[in-house]
Every structure is written in C-alpha cells, then in structure tokens.
Amino acid sequence: MYMKKVLLLFVAVITGFSLLAQSQYKVDPAHTSVNFKVKHSGITFVSGKFEKFDGGIIGSMDNAEQARIFFNVDVASVNTGVKMRDDHLRSADFFEVEKFPSMSFESTSIEKVSDNKYKLNGKLQIKDVTKDVTFDVDYGGSVKGQNGSEVIGFTAKNTINRLDYNVAYDPDAAGIGKDVHIVIYLEFKKE
C-alpha cells in the first residue's frame, strides 16, 4: 500500500514537471480577432466579431499534435456595428449573456494535414450545449516579438449550425441563416 502511494506521488510529480517544462503561449488580444458571418434574408451576409477573449496553448509547434489549446470568449462583447442588433444578440433570443456569459473551446486532438495545415478537434461550448467540432487551421509561422519572445500565428475556420447550440431565434432561417461561418486570426506569445 505504501509503495503504491509513493509510486502514484512519483507519477504525479513527474507529470507536473513535464507540464511545466512544456512551452506556454498566451493569446495576444491586440493581434487576434474572433470573426463570424451569418446569411441575412438569404441574399447577403452580416458580419461581426467578439472583442473580449483569452486563450492559450500548452505545447510546442515542434510537436504540434501534442499541444493543448483552450480559448474563452466574453459573449457580451459581440459587435456587429449596430447597437440594436448587438443588444438583441445578447438577449435570450440568441446568446442569453446574463445566464451564459462565455463560450469556450478546448482541444481534444490535433492532426497534421500538410506542412502548415492542421485539423483542430475539440469541444465547443455555447450556452448550455457542448459539441465536438473541427477547425481547419493554417499555421502562419513564428517570429521574434518586440521583447524577444516567440510569437506564433494561425488562422482557424469552421462553420457551425447555430440551432445546434440553442441559438434558436428564427428557427426556420427565413431572415437569419442557420450556418455561422467562423474565422479566427490568432497570435500567441510565448510566456
């Protein structure tokens, strides 16, 4: 029994040290944007973005398939450029921000498709629904930032059905399309 406890403690300590030894990156909000567009009246698109978010990567681009990625969005920060529409999006008809103030993503796996292209699999939570999603990711590369730390960049794209996440105003999609096209331009700074 004593040896089993010592072994478990040893495994926990080694695991903790290996996590600390991994690179950690934090999203740079000044060079990141979380964008979406939705079809309007079947003839054009309305676009918008979320202005407040945070996120990070634990891992390294040398072994990107082993990295872990997480991202959180303050849903009340939605901005389509029209205050009345943004207020409506914050209401119970759409995001219900008082009850569900954030949406989140956490990776479950990363698959390399080609040199700079990846499939980012994970759990996307919006309101009270969490679903498996896959983002198509383009790795833009790595540069040294102003303070000498590594900066990495990505573009991530996906299309989700808003009804799957109980964002169900206009369920017949007569005026507001069901598909939400997401494009996220990301920069992360190494900590």
Side-chain angles (χ1 to χ4, degrees), residues 107-126:
S107 66
T108 55
S109 67
I110 301 171
E111 304 166 43
K112 188 169 188 168
V113 176
S114 64
D115 283 346
N116 294 321
K117 296 195 179 299
Y118 296 85
K119 295 283 186 187
L120 174 60
N121 304 301
K123 303 278 187 189
L124 177 63
Q125 171 263 316
I126 301 175

Side-chain angles (χ1 to χ4, degrees), residues 22-23 25 27 54-61 63-72 104-111 118-123 135 137 152 154 156 184 186 188:
Q22 292 182 5
S23 299
Y25 297 83
V27 73
D54 63 20
I57 299 173
I58 299 172
S60 166
M61 286 311 298
N63 192 6
E65 292 89 341
Q66 299 301 312
R68 293 190 339 240
I69 299 170
F70 56 92
F71 207 81
N72 297 298
S104 65
F105 173 85
E106 187 170 337
S107 66
T108 55
S109 67
I110 301 171
E111 304 166 43
Y118 296 85
K119 295 283 186 187
L120 174 60
N121 304 301
K123 303 278 187 189
F135 281 88
V137 175
I152 55 178
F154 304 90
I184 308 172
L186 299 150
F188 291 90

Side-chain angles (χ1 to χ4, degrees), residues 71-85:
F71 207 81
N72 297 298
V73 173
D74 177 349
V75 183
S77 72
V78 68
N79 182 351
T80 65
V82 177
K83 184 180 182 330
M84 186 182 343
R85 178 171 50 220

